[in-house]
Amino acid sequence: MEALTALKKHPKFPFTGYREDDEQYLMSQMYWLELIKSVTRQAQDVWVGWMAPPPDRDGSLIFSTFCPELARGVIINQYAPTEDDTPPEQGGTYHPFVAWMDVLGDAEQGPVIEHLTINSEISAGCEPHCLRLLNLYVVERRSRQEMDEAIRELDEQLYGPVKSPH
């Protein structure tokens, strides 16, 4: 956690200018790397780099890792609110933290990799949610069903019960 602590002392932390500033983009990647390393160090499995971030550097797929042995991955999409984003308490739909489970791949063409995707801003409020879900998935190896339930409970805790469209 020493590297993570040092990153948080950087004058540009929490790197909200990552879309325009090369340094902040790289510092964001380092933040996610160190956050995930703080969790994978507790696991008995080997987690390695996965997919390269897209060249547009909008924060989607800013960091990813996977465990070949378990066919499990983690994808991090960094998001910082724009001037158009309005929080729910002001009638908008901006959520600083959202997570879900999904799969990548096709069984006929190669491996299928289940993954936890986290869309999050870098903040003191979101970091504990990231760590909680990463710990459940990476260290405790919770099943997809258990992860879906943990994510649903966290969503309710953060944003209230999901309203049925009917």
Side-chain angles (χ1 to χ4, degrees):
M1 283 291 231
E2 302 85 33
L4 199 54
T5 301
L7 283 166
K8 291 178 187 180
K9 291 180 181 175
H10 189 281
K12 293 183 181 178
F13 183 81
F15 316 122
T16 55
Y18 66 89
R19 290 180 182 101
E20 305 84 29
D21 181 344
D22 292 345
E23 178 187 18
Q24 290 188 57
Y25 185 81
L26 291 170
M27 297 303 283
S28 293
Q29 287 181 307
M30 288 176 59
Y31 170 84
W32 293 113
L33 168 66
E34 292 302 328
L35 187 77
I36 288 175
K37 278 173 50 178
S38 74
V39 174
T40 58
R41 278 188 204 109
Q42 302 168 53
Q44 298 175 12
D45 313 300
V46 175
W47 288 77
V48 298
W50 192 8
M51 297 177 277
D56 62 9
R57 298 185 353 191
D58 66 355
S60 61
L61 188 65
I62 196 162
F63 189 83
S64 65
T65 185
F66 87 112
C67 176
E69 194 175 310
L70 300 175
R72 282 184 159 205
V74 174
I75 295 173
I76 303 290
N77 298 314
Q78 181 173 318
Y79 191 72
T82 65
E83 57 193 38
D84 297 329
D85 291 318
T86 308
E89 58 271 12
Q90 295 174 5
T93 59
Y94 172 70
H95 296 302
F97 183 88
V98 179
W100 66 91
M101 296 297 298
D102 206 347
V103 293
L104 278 177
D106 179 347
E108 293 179 16
Q109 307 231 344
V112 173
I113 300 174
E114 174 188 87
H115 63 278
L116 167 65
T117 298
I118 295 175
N119 280 11
S120 180
E121 63 185 22
I122 295 175
S123 69
C126 290
E127 186 175 296
H129 307 312
C130 292
L131 288 170
R132 177 173 172 236
L133 292 181
L134 287 168
N135 188 62
L136 290 173
Y137 192 62
V138 172
V139 179
E140 297 182 22
R141 293 186 185 178
R142 297 287 180 97
S143 70
R144 181 171 182 168
Q145 182 179 354
E146 291 171 310
M147 290 303 299
D148 285 339
E149 182 61 21
I151 291 167
R152 187 194 61 72
E153 288 173 5
L154 182 57
D155 282 348
E156 279 191 12
Q157 174 191 336
L158 294 173
Y159 308 118
V162 176
K163 294 179 178 92
S164 172
H166 303 292

